[in-house]
């Protein structure tokens, strides 16, 4: 019988440039060093079973990451945390672990929103934010693979606020839609505001209740 | 401008940010308190450098030495280099993010000739004067080691001293000598007396009218006439806390070297000469190291490294024990011999995914294989293929070289025949794939083929193979890259100007075909008044002084010449490990060999 653990973790400045897949590999290695009996997938090339709620973009720090992890043999969450904590590289912090029933849908399927705090620079942040909130749309052009695509970012923005922290500097907080119905990217929102992001930090992931 | 302003705009920024597991990071006190601060500089991308076992060993050795601090840096990729130059940010160490020029010693690892322009580029990004003679004790000492250091004459303009052979001990001797704080010239004179150290500025090179080296002689009476390769008799315990990268390395796995050296005597192989003789690690040491290494890193793959893994005398018990202890561990065995024993080994380690196995027959015909002393029969190969496919592997990859000395048309035709025979075996087992990588032979210094000119144009042979192996997946080396490698691998000091000229014209990362700039090199050759063909394609005279003759690898020129003559007669030479000692010269350097010579 495998056991499903839901773990919460933070990623700090030290390793904010580590790409998602590399971070996952670092997790696998830390878990192996800690002697955690990970469950493996079946098939031609078995790999440890885990699934994150939402990949963290390169350059972004977070205090709100979540991941499902399956173990071959059950462990108590405190025991798990104790053993893993000392095997984590600088910048990776395990905040907690809890058992989760197999019947719960994957975290990624339950994800609804994500909140960010961005240190930003640029002219009149508060004014730009007020304009965006009042507008019906926030057009964004993006080039991908040589193709120009137009998006409307406005429906992805649930909440947006700017607090000036100095001349032409502000702390922008935002709650963006995330998950199966579309995901807002903080970098794009800040760029669409005409601001430059100096640091982006994820503060919260909002999930739908497991039963719904 | 800070690093944080740059990193969001470059590819794989985590290559430049450290904090990897097991990296040795010291506090500012230790920085100030360290007598010698050593920066390992790898002249290729992070992903390549992080796969190098030698560097892991030396990082470990130096960081365990009291009063020494060792950090790492790799060549910034071209996007990063541009940003760093724009921002005025000099080359820095990963661990403490300090500028390279604040270190006492910069140590380059030379594993491949096509990394040379990166050495210059790193010196330049670091803000150091390029030329050794422009740097006194106010600048870091710039040293280099690794396989290429045994003929690094083309780099003598830029490097203060070379570490020849195994550096585990000589690096310690060097840092201890450095601690005396002597002026540069005095220090170099002292260093030149350390076994395994070569200080090129103390040697005069004369050329004859045709450009060939006429003589190499020391300027000073107190330096050895022929600096020699350092050899360690007893291998140190393997590093069991290697740095574990975040960014995926080319070989992203734990590594243990089972043994050093290989005496099979393939005549094209430089490693087979310059790492002689074979020295094995005891089985229990390998197992203990494996336990610690896996516990300390969390890797799910362990490579048992050696020049010929199947030749390690305890390989079978080792593999069985490892797979019993670690059922999920992937054990990889690079460089497998072509025989069914190797297939059994591979079978033991790859219980699950049997995707592909790689073998290197090197030449198509048995005659040519005798010429290069790769003594494998067609029967061996076909039987091995049979074993591979019958045990469920889906693919075989074969390595061949073209342009080998004494190669005739029928030898190239034999490659086609051999590939087809292997395919025939494959067809009996359903859909099995046979692919081939065909590279151009590059003659190397210190090998029996050091006199041989590289074939100038192998295009017709490539075309022939392409036409006749239409349904086979073929890989090719870049022709200009092989030619450049052939030039630099047997170059002399005059090539320093060419390397510099090419670098000034933008050459760097020459080992990456997308960055290789043939025109920059051709212009640099023209500017220096030198000819690529002189270095690459010219067959050397029997009595010619070769630019690397004054470097003593322990293997005598007489032995190499004898081997060359035997190759011309297509005569094979047996491995001294199983057969008689063939008197390669190691007896003067290695007690075990001396004993065998005596009996
Ligand atoms: S001296 Fe003899 S035994 Fe030693 S490596 Fe050379 S050939 Fe082999």
């Amino acid at each position: 019988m495998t056991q499903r653990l839901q773990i919460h973790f933070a990623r700090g400045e030290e390793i904010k440039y580590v790409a998602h897949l590399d971070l996952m590999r670092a997790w696998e290695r830390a878990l192996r060093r800690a002697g955690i009996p990970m469950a493996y997938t079946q098939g031609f090339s078995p790999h440890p079973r885990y699934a994150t709620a939402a990949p963290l973009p390169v350059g972004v720090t977070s205090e709100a990451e979540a991941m499902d992890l399956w173990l071959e043999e059950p462990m108590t969450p405190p025991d798990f945390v104790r053993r893993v904590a000392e095997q984590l590289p600088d910048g990776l912090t395990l905040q907690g672990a809890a058992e989760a029933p197999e019947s719960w849908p994957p975290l990624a399927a339950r994800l609804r929103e994500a909140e960010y705090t961005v240190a930003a620079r640029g002219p009149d942040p508060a004014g730009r934010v007020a304009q965006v909130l009042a507008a019906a749309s926030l057009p964004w052009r993006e080039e991908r693979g040589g193709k120009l695509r137009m998006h409307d970012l406005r429906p992805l923005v649930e909440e947006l606020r700017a607090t000036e922290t100095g001349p032409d500097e502000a702390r922008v907080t935002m709650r963006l839609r995330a998950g199966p119905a579309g995901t807002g990217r903080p970098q794009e929102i800040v760029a669409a505001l005409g601001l430059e992001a100096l640091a982006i930090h994820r503060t919260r992931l909002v999930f739908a209740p497991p039963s719904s | 401008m800070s690093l944080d302003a740059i990193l969001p705009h470059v590819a794989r920024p985590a290559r430049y940010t450290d904090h990897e597991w097991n990296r040795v990071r010291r506090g500012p006190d230790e920085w100030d308190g360290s007598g010698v601060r050593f920066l390992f500089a790898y002249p290729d991308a992070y992903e390549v450098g992080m796969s190098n076992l030698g560097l892991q060993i030396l990082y470990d050795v130096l960081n365990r030495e009291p009063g020494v601090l060792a950090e790492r840096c790799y060549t910034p990729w071209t996007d990063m280099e541009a940003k760093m130059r724009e921002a005025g940010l000099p080359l820095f160490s990963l661990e403490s993010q300090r500028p390279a020029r604040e270190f006492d010693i910069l140590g380059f690892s030379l594993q491949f000739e096509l990394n040379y322009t990166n050495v210059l580029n790193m010196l330049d990004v670091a803000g150091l004067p390029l030329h050794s003679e422009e740097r006194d004790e106010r600048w870091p000492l710039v040293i280099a080691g690794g396989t290429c250091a045994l003929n690094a004459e083309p780099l003598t303009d830029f490097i203060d001293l070379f570490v020849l052979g195994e550096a585990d001990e000589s690096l310690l001797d060097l840092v201890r000598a450095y601690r005396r704080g002597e002026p540069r010239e005095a220090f170099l004179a002292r260093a030149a007396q350390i076994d395994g150290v070569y200080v090129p500025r103390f040697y005069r090179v004369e050329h004859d009218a045709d450009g060939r080296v006429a003589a190499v002689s020391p300027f000073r009476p107190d330096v050895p006439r022929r600096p020699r390769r350092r050899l360690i008799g007893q291998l140190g315990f393997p590093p069991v806390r290697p740095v574990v990268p975040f960014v995926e390395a080319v070989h992203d796995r734990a590594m243990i070297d089972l043994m050093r050296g290989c005496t099979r005597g393939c005549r094209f192989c430089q490693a087979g000469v310059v790492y002689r003789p074979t020295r094995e690690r005891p089985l229990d040491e390998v197992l203990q190291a494996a336990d610690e290494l896996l516990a300390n890193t969390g890797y799910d793959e362990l490579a048992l490294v050696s020049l010929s893994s199947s030749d390690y005398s305890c390989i079978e018990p080792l593999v069985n024990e490892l797979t019993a202890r670690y059922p999920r561990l992937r054990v990889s065995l690079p460089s497998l011999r072509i025989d069914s024993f190797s297939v059994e080994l591979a079978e033991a380690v790859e219980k699950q995914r049997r995707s592909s196995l790689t073998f290197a027959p090197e030449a198509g015909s048995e005659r040519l294989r005798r010429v290069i002393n790769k003594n494998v029969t067609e029967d061996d190969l076909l039987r091995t293929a049979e074993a591979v496919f019958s045990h469920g592997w889906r693919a075989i990859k074969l390595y061949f070289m073209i342009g080998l000395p004494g190669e005739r048309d029928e030898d190239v035709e034999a490659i086609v025949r051999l590939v087809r025979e292997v395919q025939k075996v494959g067809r009996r087992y359903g859909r099995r794939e046979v692919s081939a990588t065909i590279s151009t032979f590059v003659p190397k210094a210190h090998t029996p083929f050091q006199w041989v000119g590289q074939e100038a144009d192998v295009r017709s042979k490539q075309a022939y193979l392409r036409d006749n192996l239409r349904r086979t997946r073929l890989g090719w080396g870049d022709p200009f890259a092989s030619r450049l490698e052939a030039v630099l691998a047997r170059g002399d000091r005059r090539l320093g100007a060419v390397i510099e000229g090419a670098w000034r014209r933008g050459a760097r990362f020459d080992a990456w075909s997308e960055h290789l700039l043939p025109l920059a090199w051709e212009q640099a050759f023209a500017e220096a008044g030198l000819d690529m063909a002189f270095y690459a394609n010219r067959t050397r005279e029997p009595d010619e002084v070769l630019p690397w003759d004054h470097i003593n690898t322990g293997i005598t020129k007489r032995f190499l010449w004898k081997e060359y003559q035997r190759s011309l007669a297509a005569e094979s030479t047996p491995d001294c490990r199983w057969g008689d000692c063939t008197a390669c010269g190691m007896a003067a350097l290695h007690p075990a060999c001396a004993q065998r010579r005596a009996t």
Side-chain angles (χ1 to χ4, degrees):
Chain A
M1 251 295 279
T2 56
Q3 179 191 29
R4 179 180 182 181
L5 283 184
Q6 218 150 70
I7 69 170
H8 294 271
F9 63 96
R11 142 155 130 175
E13 279 290 323
E14 296 92 331
I15 57 164
K16 69 176 176 184
Y17 291 111
V18 174
H20 176 69
L21 288 178
D22 292 343
L23 190 66
M24 290 301 109
R25 203 170 36 244
W27 263 112
E28 284 181 32
R29 288 173 182 166
L31 293 168
R32 250 183 246 116
R33 289 194 292 268
I36 302 302
M38 291 183 278
Y40 280 71
T41 58
Q42 304 286 311
F44 192 53
S45 54
H47 51 89
R49 253 189 95 192
Y50 56 79
T52 52
L56 194 59
V58 172
V60 177
T61 55
S62 169
E63 57 188 88
E65 297 307 288
M67 171 161 81
D68 273 326
L69 176 70
W70 283 265
L71 306 186
E72 222 162 34
E73 293 154 33
M75 285 179 85
T76 66
D79 191 26
F80 175 89
V81 171
R82 198 168 31 80
R83 274 163 67 177
V84 173
E86 58 193 27
Q87 295 297 338
L88 293 176
D90 300 349
L92 201 53
T93 320
L94 182 58
Q95 296 159 315
E99 239 180 293
E102 273 305 334
S103 59
W104 286 9
L107 285 167
R110 287 168 46 209
L111 183 65
R112 294 293 174 268
E113 290 164 352
E115 295 179 3
Y116 299 90
T117 300
V118 181
R121 186 165 52 194
D124 190 22
R128 293 288 294 134
V129 163
Q131 260 174 29
V132 165
L133 288 178
S137 71
L138 179 59
W140 173 250
R141 350 145 112 255
E142 173 187 49
E143 220 191 287
R144 269 210 178 175
K147 272 194 197 144
L148 206 60
R149 296 202 313 180
M150 293 290 283
H151 285 293
D152 184 6
L153 299 182
R154 184 64 189 84
L156 300 172
V157 179
E158 301 285 355
E159 237 178 75
L160 189 63
R161 196 168 303 152
T163 317
E164 310 234 336
T165 50
D168 285 348
E169 273 188 13
R171 193 173 65 243
V172 181
T173 55
M174 57 185 89
R175 189 151 52 85
L176 305 180
R177 213 175 266 178
T183 296
R185 289 189 232 167
Q187 305 89 313
E188 290 180 2
I189 306 293
V190 175
L193 286 170
L195 303 174
E196 182 196 350
L198 302 176
I200 306 177
H201 184 64
R202 182 136 86 187
T203 49
R204 195 158 88 100
L205 293 176
V206 184
F207 295 98
S211 47
S212 75
Chain B
M1 205 159 148
S2 74
L3 200 53
D4 248 337
I6 293 177
L7 290 177
H9 309 289
V10 302
R12 302 193 205 177
R15 295 193 271 209
Y16 312 106
T17 57
D18 173 57
H19 295 286
E20 306 114 309
W21 187 253
N22 285 339
R23 62 89 177 79
V24 181
R25 190 172 211 182
R26 322 276 195 107
D29 295 358
E30 279 177 287
W31 173 271
D32 295 333
S34 290
V36 181
R37 301 151 193 145
F38 193 105
L39 179 59
F40 285 105
Y42 198 90
D44 205 335
Y46 176 88
E47 294 87 326
V48 179
M50 283 300 285
S51 307
N52 184 276
L53 177 58
L55 205 63
Q56 287 181 5
I57 293 174
L58 298 176
Y59 183 75
D60 182 61
V61 164
L62 282 192
N63 271 316
R64 280 193 284 123
E65 170 77 0
V68 177
L69 162 161
E71 306 198 341
R72 300 161 296 138
C73 70
Y74 304 86
T75 314
W77 197 248
T78 48
D79 58 347
M80 181 67 174
E81 183 204 332
K83 296 274 178 208
M84 286 170 73
R85 287 185 186 277
E86 203 181 292
L89 193 73
L91 186 74
F92 55 88
S93 72
L94 286 189
E95 284 82 352
S96 61
Q97 310 260 312
R98 298 212 188 224
R101 61 164 298 189
E102 288 180 18
F103 284 78
D104 296 300
I105 306 179
L106 228 68
F108 285 98
S109 169
L110 304 176
Q111 305 301 335
F112 191 26
E113 291 82 359
L114 298 190
N115 291 345
Y116 289 174
T117 52
N118 281 356
V119 171
L120 274 63
N121 204 38
M122 288 173 87
L123 289 173
D124 189 62
V125 178
L128 265 60
L130 280 191
H131 294 128
S132 173
E133 56 183 33
E134 296 166 67
R135 295 185 305 252
D136 59 15
E137 55 281 358
R138 286 169 300 177
W139 297 98
L141 176 76
V142 178
I143 73 175
T147 317
C148 293
L150 294 165
N151 176 35
E153 291 297 291
L155 285 182
T156 48
D157 286 354
F158 317 104
I159 303 291
D160 303 330
L161 67 82
F162 293 97
V163 174
L164 309 177
E166 286 157 329
D168 317 35
E169 290 165 359
S170 45
L171 265 193
L172 290 177
D173 293 343
L174 264 176
V175 295
R176 286 169 196 153
Y178 187 89
R179 276 211 196 104
R180 309 171 78 105
E182 290 164 314
R184 186 57 44 88
E185 197 73 8
F187 164 77
L188 288 173
R190 180 182 301 281
Q193 290 169 39
I194 296 174
D195 186 15
V197 169
Y198 166 47
V199 183
R201 71 171 65 172
F202 296 146
Y203 297 79
R204 179 190 4 243
V205 179
E206 290 157 77
H207 289 267
D208 65 18
D210 298 328
R212 289 177 297 214
V213 172
V216 179
S217 48
F219 278 119
R220 309 172 52 118
D222 57 347
V223 303
R225 207 175 54 78
R226 295 185 68 213
R228 77 184 179 180
R229 169 171 72 100
R230 183 86 168 247
L231 187 73
I232 51 172
Q234 171 104 44
L235 305 185
F237 198 78
V240 291
R241 288 190 178 279
V243 181
V244 181
F246 287 109
V247 174
E248 191 170 12
V250 175
H251 297 299
D252 207 359
R253 57 198 185 189
M255 292 183 264
I256 298 178
D257 53 341
L258 297 180
M259 57 179 187
R260 303 253 177 105
C262 169
T263 45
R264 300 201 139 244
C266 297
R267 293 179 179 127
F268 55 87
C269 177
Q270 192 183 39
V273 175
V274 304
Y275 293 109
R276 276 185 181 221
T278 52
R279 287 145 296 154
E280 292 201 351
R281 234 178 240 301
L283 174 64
D284 50 352
E285 188 178 306
V286 177
L287 285 168
Q288 190 195 335
D291 287 340
E292 293 179 28
L293 189 55
L294 294 171
N296 291 336
T297 59
Y299 277 121
D300 60 350
E301 184 177 353
L302 171 66
L304 301 173
V305 180
S306 92
L307 291 168
S308 175
S309 312
S310 354
D311 284 335
Y312 177 63
S313 48
C314 306
I315 189 71
E316 220 175 345
L318 171 62
V319 159
N320 291 337
E321 182 58 31
L322 281 174
T323 47
R325 279 189 202 179
Y326 302 99
R328 291 216 186 270
L329 181 70
R330 281 159 53 203
V331 178
S332 46
L333 298 161
S335 49
L336 281 178
R337 220 162 58 193
I338 302 179
D339 55 19
S340 43
F341 175 69
S342 300
V343 181
E344 281 167 34
L345 287 177
E347 208 189 336
V349 300
E350 289 185 53
K351 297 242 158 45
Q352 316 254 5
R353 53 166 136 198
R354 298 211 167 135
S355 44
S356 83
L357 280 183
T358 302
F359 297 99
E362 313 285 6
S365 73
E366 244 167 81
R367 184 197 67 84
L368 193 55
R369 287 197 294 271
R370 270 200 313 279
V371 168
I372 61 174
N373 208 38
K374 178 96 192 190
N375 300 306
V376 177
T377 63
E378 181 160 334
D379 198 45
D380 291 335
L381 182 66
L382 294 181
R383 259 199 259 213
T384 306
E386 184 85 44
V388 169
F389 290 132
S390 68
H391 286 103
W393 272 277
R394 295 135 88 97
I396 288 186
K397 290 184 195 158
L398 297 174
Y399 273 81
F400 292 100
M401 282 186 278
I402 49 174
L404 284 164
E407 183 180 71
R408 306 173 190 148
D409 286 348
E410 64 248 37
D411 298 311
V412 181
E413 289 159 23
I415 294 179
V416 172
R417 235 199 29 247
L418 198 55
V419 170
R420 288 197 184 139
E421 286 299 319
V422 175
Q423 282 166 336
K424 231 183 259 168
V425 177
R427 270 199 293 278
R428 291 212 301 275
Y429 294 93
R431 285 173 50 87
R432 303 297 154 116
E433 205 204 330
V434 180
S435 61
T437 299
I438 293 158
S439 51
T440 306
F441 169 64
V442 177
K444 295 264 163 147
H446 302 297
T447 68
F449 290 152
Q450 62 180 356
W451 290 274
V452 176
Q454 189 186 43
E455 193 165 320
D457 191 355
V458 293
R459 276 178 301 188
S460 62
K461 291 178 180 174
Q462 289 180 330
Y464 173 85
L465 291 170
R466 205 174 279 128
D467 289 347
N468 287 279
L469 290 170
R470 283 185 186 283
R471 254 162 290 172
T472 308
R473 190 137 52 93
L474 297 178
W476 307 95
D478 182 291
F480 187 82
S482 323
R483 186 167 165 78
L484 185 57
E485 187 186 340
V487 168
L488 296 173
R490 291 185 300 166
D492 55 34
R493 293 191 177 183
R494 299 179 306 169
L495 289 182
V498 177
I499 297 170
E500 191 175 338
W503 167 73
R504 291 203 189 284
R505 289 175 171 82
R508 59 211 63 188
F509 287 106
D510 301 297
W512 300 73
S513 51
E514 72 268 35
H515 287 296
L516 184 62
L517 300 176
L519 195 63
W521 282 98
E522 278 157 12
Q523 288 171 349
F525 271 100
E527 185 185 50
L530 294 172
D531 180 13
M532 288 185 87
F534 173 87
Y535 293 98
N537 312 117
R538 185 175 62 92
T539 293
R540 276 59 166 175
E541 301 299 323
D543 58 350
E544 189 172 332
V545 178
L546 302 172
W548 52 93
D549 275 351
H550 62 293
I551 303 297
N552 180 3
T553 62
I555 313 296
T556 58
K557 196 172 179 182
R558 232 187 69 215
F559 171 78
L560 297 177
W561 179 257
K562 211 174 68 194
E563 277 298 294
Y564 179 31
Q565 298 310 306
R566 288 175 75 87
S567 86
L568 295 176
E571 275 178 65
S572 61
T573 301
D575 186 341
C576 67
R577 219 167 151 212
W578 324 111
D580 289 340
C581 167
T582 49
C584 71
M586 281 309 296
L589 238 70
H590 191 62
C593 286
Q595 236 166 36
R596 285 194 57 185
R597 289 289 292 148
T599 54

